[in-house]
Amino acid sequence: MAAVGVFPVAGRGLHLALKPGKKPASIEGVTGAGSLGAHGAAHGVLYGCAVDVRALANDAAYAKLIREQCRILVAENAMKWGPLRPAVDKFNFDEADALVAFAEENKMKLRGHNLAWHRDNPRWIDATVTAANARQILTTHIETVAGRYAGRMHSWDVVNEAIEIKDGRADGMRNTVWLRLAGDDYLELAFRTARDADPQALLTYNDYGIEGETPEAEQKRQAVLGMLRRMVARRVPVDAVGVQAHLSALAVPASGTGPAYGDGMMRFIAAARELGLQVFITEMDVNDKASPANVAFRDAAVEATYKRFLDLVLADPAVRAVLTWGITDRYTWLDRESARSDGQPERPLPFDADYHAAPAFYAMRDAFDRRKA
Ligand code: XIL
C-alpha cells in the first residue's frame, strides 16, 4: 500500500492529500485523443508550449512529445532580437525558420515572441540606437521579422513587459531603450507597423506579474489596462493580451502563505474582454522554489496551482489559448535562471525530466475538460 501523506498548508486551511503514483481520472493514455492538445481543442483552448529549437533538432523524444501534445508553438528564444539580429543590418533566421518549418509540417499554429522587449537584446543596441535612429531600427525590425512570416502566424507578442511600476512613472511605463529613444508612443508605432507587416496575426501585448492577489499585482494590472485602454481609444491595432503566468506553487508551508489567484485576475480578464481583446495564457509554469525537497509534496503543490489557476481563468470565454513555457522539466529555464537553493531540479511543467506525464499534466487536462467551450 502506498502511503498517503497529508500536509497542512499554513494560513490557507488547505490540505494536500498526496497519493504517490496517482493514476489519471480517465483510462485513456496521454497521447492522441488523450493529449493536452486534443482535450484543449474539445473545449475551446489552444494548447501548446515554448520550444527550445536546439533541443528540437537534437532530442528526438522531445520532438515526439511536442508533436503528440501541441497545437501551437512559440520559440523560447529564437525569435527574440538577440538571436535574430546579430548586427543592426544583419538578420539570422536559421533557428526561427526551423521552428516555423516544424510547426507547419505538423500542422500546428505559431506564436511569435517578440518584437520589442527590454531584455535579450543584442549587445550592439546600446551603442547603436539613438534618438535619431530608434524609430527606424524598430520599424525595420518589425517589418523584416513579422513580414517574413506574414500570414503564417496565429499571433505575435508585439511588445513584451512594457509596464514596471518601480520605474516610477505615473503611467507605469517601464523605462526601456525604446521608451527613452523611440518615444512614449513606441507601442503605438510597434503595433501599427506589425499590423501593416502581417495583417492576419493577432497582435498581442504580453506581461507578467499580473496574476496574483497582491497589491503589487493589482497595481500592475491597472497600469496594463490603462495602457490598453489608451491604445484602444487611439485605434491602435491590438487584438489580445498575454498573461505569462509564471506562477509560484501555492502550498508553501515554509513561508506560511503562498500567493493566491482569484478575483483580481478575473476582473482583469473581464476588462480585457470588454475592450474587445482575446486573452492568452502565454508562458505558464509553476516554480516550486519555496517548497520542501520532497518530490511528491512538490508535485502536489504544483498540481494544485495548475488546477486553481486554470479553473479560474478558463471560466472566462475570452481565454482562448494556454501555452506552457516548455513542456518537460528537463529543459526548464527556471533551473537556469531561478534555481532552488538546495540544487534540486524544479518540477514546473506537465512532463517530468524523463518525459512522463506529471500530476500537472492531469491537472491541466482535467481543467480543460471542465471548461465549457
Ligand atoms: C526566457 C527564456 O526561457 C530563457 O531561456 C532566456 O534566457 C531568457 O528568457 N518572460 C518572457 C520570456 O517573456 O521570453 C522569458 O524567456 C521568460 C520570462
Side-chain angles (χ1 to χ4, degrees), residues 76-77 80 113 117 119-120 160-161 206 244 246 283 325 333 336-337:
E76 182 171 353
N77 289 302
K80 293 174 182 173
H113 174 84
W117 194 22
R119 283 186 55 192
D120 289 8
N160 199 28
E161 305 179 353
N206 193 48
Q244 290 187 10
H246 293 292
E283 307 186 11
W325 204 243
W333 72 301
R336 300 191 298 271
E337 296 184 32

Side-chain angles (χ1 to χ4, degrees), residues 3-230:
V4 174
V6 176
F7 290 74
V9 180
R12 311 211 111 252
L14 168 70
H15 287 67
L16 293 173
L18 301 180
K19 298 183 209 97
K22 182 181 169 218
K23 288 283 180 299
S26 68
I27 51 159
E28 62 189 327
V30 302
T31 62
S35 66
L36 290 172
H39 280 247
H43 297 270
V45 184
L46 193 51
Y47 171 74
C49 76
V51 178
D52 176 332
V53 182
R54 272 174 228 165
L56 190 68
N58 299 322
D59 178 347
Y62 176 70
K64 178 166 176 279
L65 183 62
I66 288 171
R67 260 192 234 103
E68 286 170 351
Q69 299 297 328
C70 295
R71 304 278 167 112
I72 184 164
L73 303 181
V74 61
E76 182 171 353
N77 289 302
M79 288 195 194
K80 293 174 182 173
W81 275 66
L84 217 50
R85 199 168 179 183
V88 64
D89 54 358
K90 193 164 172 277
F91 287 84
N92 178 351
F93 288 106
D94 293 352
E95 285 197 8
D97 284 356
L99 181 67
V100 172
F102 177 86
E104 290 182 347
E105 272 161 32
N106 292 290
K107 302 193 168 43
M108 296 169 183
K109 296 184 194 298
L110 276 159
R111 305 198 73 243
H113 174 84
N114 58 60
L115 298 171
W117 194 22
H118 64 285
R119 283 186 55 192
D120 289 8
N121 282 321
R123 254 184 242 130
W124 56 263
I125 287 252
D126 285 343
T128 309
V129 179
T130 65
N133 66 19
R135 293 178 82 86
Q136 188 55 53
I137 289 175
L138 181 61
T139 304
T140 301
H141 189 87
I142 295 172
E143 285 170 347
T144 307
V145 178
R148 183 178 186 88
Y149 303 115
R152 298 152 79 188
M153 287 286 179
H154 163 272
S155 49
W156 261 110
D157 288 335
V158 179
V159 177
N160 199 28
E161 305 179 353
I163 296 292
E164 175 53 278
I165 303 297
K166 286 195 210 94
D167 284 358
R169 285 173 54 114
D171 59 7
M173 299 284 293
R174 187 190 291 271
N175 182 7
T176 74
V177 61
W178 301 120
L179 184 88
R180 281 192 304 278
L181 299 176
D184 282 9
D185 65 340
Y186 83 91
L187 274 98
E188 178 161 350
L189 177 68
F191 277 82
R192 290 196 193 284
T193 307
R195 179 66 99 223
D196 288 345
D198 183 353
Q200 273 153 272
L202 295 167
L203 303 185
T204 307
Y205 174 73
N206 193 48
D207 216 331
Y208 71 97
I210 52 177
E211 300 85 358
E213 289 294 285
T214 60
E216 294 76 24
E218 182 57 25
Q219 209 182 353
K220 190 160 180 179
R221 282 192 286 266
Q222 292 310 324
V224 169
L225 285 173
M227 185 186 74
L228 292 170
R229 284 197 188 100
R230 289 193 296 279

